[in-house]
């Protein structure tokens, strides 16, 4: 972004349009954008004008439409927040670029790696426009502390990383309804919470170099909520992934929405090094460290207040538009890397083969 444009944006009111007012948009994006001085959320587009009006009512937003083009084509709108499911991300981002609008889009960035690469390459052709993907927030509080521990070499060379994302609930009965997360038509190759958990690992350790995955389809048929017809499920509800990380460690991920009565932690990370083990228990909200030099006993790590991260997605987006900061979480380039991992997982369990990264398109 040029300095002149940044100053101009900072001096004038920033007008933002919403396309897709889902849960995250109503919980975070709209109220937190409205709390920023000089920012106005002027319009909402949803599937219907009625649902858009209903979403806008608690926030005093009266301009509502059932057509996303009304937002894109409104020359008074400077930026768009895309809160739709992934199936519309490519279309909406490209149209926003065409209309000269900044873009904040919900994760995941796209349906697959090819779409993600296309959006990133197109963003490079519009360097004056700010682009951001809503980041995975599950480790914000711990990120800086974990990065410090790794950077200082406290754990020594990493050997093994374990990642768990379990629902702790038994499988739904056959015939339960499809949701967008279980419907490949809307979510693409994104599998449950996999991307939400992989993204923080990228922040700490960098990329995976190879992926080998096995998947299970426990609930094989679900009901289409619109037609009432049975639909074969194409997104697995249980998956195990082995990966080699560029940092030198081997990683094991397990994600499941179909196993209940789990005797232990449901969600978290464990990093095993030659000199220590770091364990993040997301269920209990604790970061634990066990050092070889201290007998290997896990002790809770205190999170210093100045290093405790928090959600500030909307502030970062507006700050980048105004030229006062750069997008850190999450850039389109980072979004491409996690979409390549996502696609590699699908390619692996479908083929039964190990898939190397980065992908060869």
């Amino acid at each position: 972004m040029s300095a002149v444009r940044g100053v101009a944006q900072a001096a004038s009111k920033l007008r933002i349009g919403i396309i897709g007012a889902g849960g995250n948009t109503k919980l975070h994006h709209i109220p937190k954008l409205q709390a920023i001085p000089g920012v106005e959320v002027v319009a909402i587009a949803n599937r219907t004008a009625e649902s858009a009006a209903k979403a806008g009512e608690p926030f005093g937003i009266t301009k509502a439409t059932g057509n996303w083009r009304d937002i894109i084509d409104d020359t008074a709108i400077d930026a768009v927040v895309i809160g739709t499911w992934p199936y519309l991300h490519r279309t909406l981002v490209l149209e926003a670029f065409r209309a000269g609008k900044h873009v904040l889009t919900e994760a995941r960035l796209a349906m697959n790696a090819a779409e993600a690469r296309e959006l990133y390459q197109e963003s490079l052709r519009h360097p004056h426009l700010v682009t951001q993907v809503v980041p995975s927030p599950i480790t914000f509080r711990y990120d800086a502390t974990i990065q410090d521990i790794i950077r200082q070499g406290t754990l020594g060379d990493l050997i093994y990383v374990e990642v768990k994302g379990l629902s702790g609930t038994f499988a739904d009965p056959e015939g339960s309804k499809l949701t967008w997360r279980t419907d490949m038509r809307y979510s693409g190759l994104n599998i449950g919470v996999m991307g939400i958990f992989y993204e923080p690992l990228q922040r700490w350790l960098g990329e995976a170099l190879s992926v080998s995955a096995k998947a299970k389809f426990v609930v094989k048929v679900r009901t289409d909520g619109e037609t009432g017809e049975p639909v074969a499920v194409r997104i697995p509800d249980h998956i195990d992934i082995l990966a080699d990380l560029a940092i030198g460690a081997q990683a094991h991920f397990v994600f499941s929405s179909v196993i209940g009565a789990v005797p232990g932690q449901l969600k978290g990370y464990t990093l095993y090094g030659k000199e220590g083990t770091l364990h993040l228990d997301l269920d209990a909200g604790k970061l634990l460290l066990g050092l070889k030099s201290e007998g290997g006993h896990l002790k809770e790590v205190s999170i210093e207040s100045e290093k405790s991260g928090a959600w500030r997605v909307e502030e970062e987006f507006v700050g980048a538009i105004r030229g006062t900061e750069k997008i850190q979480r999450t850039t389109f380039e980072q979004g491409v890397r996690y979409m390549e991992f996502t696609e590699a997982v699908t390619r692996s369990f479908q083929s039964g083969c190990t898939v190397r990264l980065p992908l060869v398109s």
Side-chain angles (χ1 to χ4, degrees):
M1 182 195 310
S2 69
V4 173
R5 182 176 174 84
V7 170
Q9 290 280 9
S12 61
K13 184 175 285 290
L14 182 64
R15 295 176 175 84
I16 296 179
I18 305 292
I19 303 177
N24 216 35
T25 302
K26 290 182 283 190
L27 177 65
H28 288 294
H29 305 325
I30 295 175
K32 289 173 182 176
L33 286 167
Q34 289 181 324
I36 301 173
V39 174
E40 182 182 2
V41 180
V42 298
I44 295 177
N46 239 6
R47 281 189 163 189
T48 66
E50 291 75 19
S51 67
K54 184 177 179 180
E57 185 176 357
F59 304 102
I61 303 168
T62 58
K63 187 172 182 180
T65 176
N67 188 341
W68 56 262
R69 285 205 169 274
D70 294 337
I71 304 291
I72 295 292
D73 294 339
D74 188 337
T75 56
I77 291 177
D78 306 299
V80 296
V81 173
I82 298 170
T84 68
W85 303 329
Y87 79 113
L88 275 177
H89 290 183
R90 174 185 176 274
T91 297
L92 296 177
V93 171
L94 293 177
E95 287 298 307
F97 289 159
R98 178 192 59 78
K101 300 186 191 311
H102 308 286
V103 175
L104 170 62
T105 182
E106 276 294 347
R108 307 274 55 111
L109 175 57
M111 296 277 276
N112 53 49
E115 285 190 3
R117 283 192 292 268
E118 180 185 9
L119 296 183
Y120 171 57
Q121 291 300 322
E122 190 63 24
S123 74
L124 297 179
R125 299 185 183 96
H126 300 272
H128 60 292
L129 296 177
V130 170
T131 55
Q132 182 179 11
V133 187
V134 176
S136 169
I138 60 173
T139 63
F140 278 173
R141 179 169 179 259
Y142 312 98
D143 283 336
T145 301
I146 292 173
Q147 288 166 333
D148 281 350
I149 290 170
I150 293 168
R151 189 164 40 243
Q152 292 162 4
T154 304
L155 303 180
D157 293 337
L158 283 178
I159 301 167
Y160 174 62
V161 177
E162 186 175 33
V163 183
K164 285 185 179 180
L166 311 178
S167 69
T169 57
F170 291 101
D172 292 336
E174 298 286 336
S176 57
K177 287 186 178 180
L178 278 172
T179 67
W180 73 268
R181 288 191 183 278
T182 57
D183 192 338
M184 191 176 283
R185 295 172 299 178
Y186 297 118
S187 66
L189 301 183
N190 299 293
I191 300 171
V193 297
M194 181 175 68
I196 298 169
F197 277 77
Y198 179 65
E199 185 182 337
L201 203 68
Q202 285 181 291
R203 298 174 198 154
W204 311 335
L205 303 180
E207 311 306 316
L209 295 180
S210 68
V211 165
S212 179
K214 290 184 72 66
K216 286 186 72 67
F217 294 79
V218 178
V219 179
K220 299 178 175 61
V221 176
R222 294 182 184 267
T223 302
D224 188 304
E226 294 181 358
T227 67
E229 296 179 354
V231 178
V233 176
R234 299 164 62 199
I235 295 177
D237 37 28
H238 181 101
I239 190 159
D240 281 272
I241 305 159
L242 285 176
D244 288 318
L245 305 181
I247 200 170
Q250 181 174 298
H252 174 219
F253 306 78
V254 57
F255 303 108
S256 183
S257 61
V258 293
I259 53 176
V262 178
Q265 176 187 291
L266 296 175
K267 301 177 180 69
Y269 301 79
T270 309
L271 283 59
Y272 298 93
K274 290 183 177 180
E275 303 300 326
T277 294
L278 186 64
H279 177 64
L280 175 56
D281 187 333
L282 291 172
D283 302 321
K286 292 182 178 180
L287 182 64
L288 306 172
L289 177 64
L291 298 177
K292 177 182 175 181
S293 60
E294 298 177 358
H297 303 294
L298 288 170
K299 300 177 182 178
E300 187 168 358
V301 178
S302 61
I303 308 297
E304 299 174 15
S305 57
E306 63 271 19
K307 291 184 179 180
S308 180
W311 181 286
R312 59 179 308 274
V313 176
E314 298 76 20
E315 293 176 64
E316 189 172 332
F317 182 55
V318 171
I321 293 172
R322 289 175 170 169
T324 60
E325 62 180 303
K326 293 183 178 180
I327 297 299
Q328 300 294 327
R329 297 180 182 168
T330 293
T331 67
F332 272 29
E333 183 179 10
Q334 292 163 339
V336 169
R337 292 201 292 270
Y338 73 58
M339 283 307 309
E340 289 213 330
F341 176 84
T342 295
E343 182 157 330
V345 169
T346 296
R347 290 188 187 185
S348 178
F349 79 71
Q350 287 180 342
S351 67
C353 300
T354 297
V355 177
R356 303 290 176 184
L357 289 164
L359 292 179
V360 177
S361 55

